[in-house]
Amino acid sequence: MIAKRLALRGDLLDFSAAPSLTDTSMKTVRFRPDHWLLIDGGRIVGAQPGSQLPDPSWWREDHSGRLIMPGFIDTHVHSPQLDVIASYGTELLDWLNTYTFPAESRYAIAAAARYGAQLFVECLLEHGTTSAVVFPTVHKASVDALFEVALDRNMRLITGKVLMDRHAPPELRDDVEGAERECVELIERWHGRGRLAYAVTPRFAPTSSDAQLAMAGGLLSVAPDLYMQTHVAENRDEVRWVAELFPDARSYLDVYRRFGLLGPRAVLAHGIWLDGDDRALLAECGAQIAHSPTSNLFLGSGLLDWRRLEAAGARVSIATDVGGGTSLSMLRTLAEAYKVQALQGSRLTAWKALYTATRGAARALGLEHEIGSLDIGSTADIAVWNYAASPLARHRDALARSLHERLFAFMTLGDERNLESVLVAGTPHVRAASV
Ligand SMILES: [Zn+2]
């Protein structure tokens, strides 16, 4: 049943502003227990206490005792890498050669790209993630397929053709002229259509020549509303390699600056091995680090110093980075983010974690008006969660003495099994029969 006017009853949780990393107070938390969330024409139009029953012109769904939040935003994930999630025994550079590149090669076949895109988007939604910034492959067909599936679901999705003209297998390499031509075609076809946006996507500095990075910077200079996504300073061997390949750059991050790739719409995955000048540069240009804790732990890459990034004024969002990451669940990802900070003597709150996966990511992407909150006027990308989905979790939930304690246990013990339903632009997600 797809109703134009839809009312969801439950506990509404979102954030009015950015919490600090370790403040458990409620200052920025907007919690409205037992409320109706009103959705009309795909947008949030209001909220009212549970005792005020919306009139019969509203299709009512009662999720009393459940948590209603904005859908999660995953700012860095690779659609073709569902095939290699949970692959054993490598660090980044070996992992790319051993697992990732062979998997991505299969996307040269349009039917494989279509199937992969469909599966990927289904999986995102079934984990409560309604928006994502996505790496497909170097193949144009993989970009078309992903955009088509996202358009069909009216999702807010940001992606673009991966650029790689060196240090990759021949079947995954492009060249500067061909890549530029394909980027221009894809931008014209997809950027700004529905809720889609194009991201200029050099995989990472080692796999693009100077000429290709310059071409990417050129695309951004003439269309500043395009996004840019890439990887930076994930792994120490990678950082050393970049220093060899770009001897004139001050740092890995500086490579991207020199080619005009940094700006408020730049999304840089990882950012573990940065220095103070890099952090200052991030703050100055407004680019965000997409923190990918399960990937960083799984590949043994290192621990993100979130505290220093925050102190410098740099933006941080949270990402699964599947398939280096080990789950599409943002809840699991947040739980691992807590542990990454704990290993460095800091205590990430549930508020900061949940904010970062919703409004924080939206703000960093310049989309705060559209996603990431339950504000009136926002697009109704919504996830309904069970606070506790197992006997142990229910036991723990019942013992929580404060809302933060409750939400921290939800974040630490929860995953996709807690998801009760998900809406994209006000339309309930229904699992595709083909996947
Ligand atoms: Zn990645």
Side-chain angles (χ1 to χ4, degrees), residues 8-13 31-36 61-69 374 382-389 394 397 403 406-407 410 417-421:
L8 302 179
R9 186 178 189 173
D11 298 343
L12 311 185
L13 176 67
F31 185 64
R32 290 170 284 180
D34 190 19
H35 270 62
W36 291 100
E61 273 188 29
D62 195 335
H63 298 282
S64 292
R66 301 293 192 254
L67 187 61
I68 297 177
M69 288 184 56
L374 304 179
I382 306 288
V384 182
W385 299 94
N386 196 335
Y387 285 94
R394 282 192 288 277
D397 183 55
L403 188 64
R406 191 173 194 201
L407 268 293
F410 164 69
R417 286 167 290 189
N418 293 63
L419 186 70
E420 200 154 285
S421 71

Side-chain angles (χ1 to χ4, degrees), residues 13-17 19 28-30 69 350-351 354-355 358-359 373:
L13 176 67
D14 67 342
F15 298 86
S16 56
T28 62
V29 181
R30 186 160 54 176
M69 288 184 56
W351 301 147
L354 292 167
Y355 165 82
T358 53
R359 187 168 211 133
S373 79

Side-chain angles (χ1 to χ4, degrees), residues 4-259:
K4 186 171 172 294
R5 285 152 69 85
L6 177 66
L8 302 179
R9 186 178 189 173
D11 298 343
L12 311 185
L13 176 67
D14 67 342
F15 298 86
S16 56
S20 76
L21 266 181
T22 56
D23 181 4
T24 58
S25 79
M26 295 282 290
K27 280 191 296 233
T28 62
V29 181
R30 186 160 54 176
F31 185 64
R32 290 170 284 180
D34 190 19
H35 270 62
W36 291 100
L37 183 71
L38 305 177
I39 297 163
D40 192 353
R43 288 182 186 277
I44 295 169
V45 295
Q48 60 195 44
S51 55
Q52 288 177 27
L53 197 66
D55 71 49
S57 71
W58 296 83
W59 177 263
R60 296 189 293 257
E61 273 188 29
D62 195 335
H63 298 282
S64 292
R66 301 293 192 254
L67 187 61
I68 297 177
M69 288 184 56
F72 286 133
I73 302 163
D74 185 345
T75 55
H76 179 70
V77 58
H78 298 254
S79 55
Q81 293 184 16
L82 298 189
D83 295 6
V84 296
I85 190 170
S87 292
Y88 174 76
T90 53
E91 289 199 357
L92 172 67
L93 300 176
D94 283 342
W95 184 81
L96 286 171
N97 289 317
T98 308
Y99 298 117
T100 306
F101 289 157
E104 295 191 3
S105 298
R106 293 197 278 277
Y107 277 59
I109 302 163
R114 270 198 305 277
Y115 176 80
Q118 175 86 352
L119 177 68
F120 173 76
V121 168
E122 289 286 314
C123 286
L124 274 188
L125 293 171
E126 303 221 344
H127 287 75
T129 297
T130 49
S131 290
V133 184
V134 187
F135 268 64
T137 68
V138 71
H139 311 104
K140 197 171 151 203
S142 77
V143 190
D144 280 325
L146 201 51
F147 274 134
E148 277 163 19
V149 175
L151 183 70
D152 189 46
R153 297 203 169 272
N154 197 16
M155 272 177 80
R156 166 51 81 175
L157 191 116
I158 299 166
T159 191
K161 177 195 134 53
V162 176
L163 301 170
M164 285 202 279
D165 68 347
R166 62 172 179 170
H167 299 137
E171 65 274 19
L172 286 179
R173 281 204 298 263
D174 54 14
D175 58 64
V176 177
E177 295 74 27
E180 181 172 32
R181 191 174 57 246
E182 291 190 346
C183 285
V184 168
E185 285 170 19
L186 288 163
I187 291 164
E188 283 174 359
R189 189 175 317 147
W190 296 110
H191 184 60
R193 188 163 161 197
R195 302 175 67 198
L196 308 174
Y198 192 87
V200 176
T201 307
R203 174 172 222 113
F204 68 152
T207 45
S208 285
S209 62
D210 285 27
Q212 190 170 60
L213 292 172
M215 180 275 283
L219 291 173
L220 292 163
S221 70
V222 295
D225 63 332
L226 294 174
Y227 288 88
M228 195 288 292
Q229 61 174 342
T230 191
H231 299 82
V232 71
E234 175 176 0
N235 165 292
R236 277 174 286 197
D237 289 342
E238 172 211 16
V239 172
R240 275 191 287 273
W241 191 23
V242 171
E244 285 169 23
L245 292 170
F246 300 91
D248 296 338
R250 195 203 68 78
S251 68
Y252 191 161
L253 184 68
D254 188 52
V255 173
Y256 297 134
R257 182 194 64 79
R258 294 160 76 96
F259 288 103

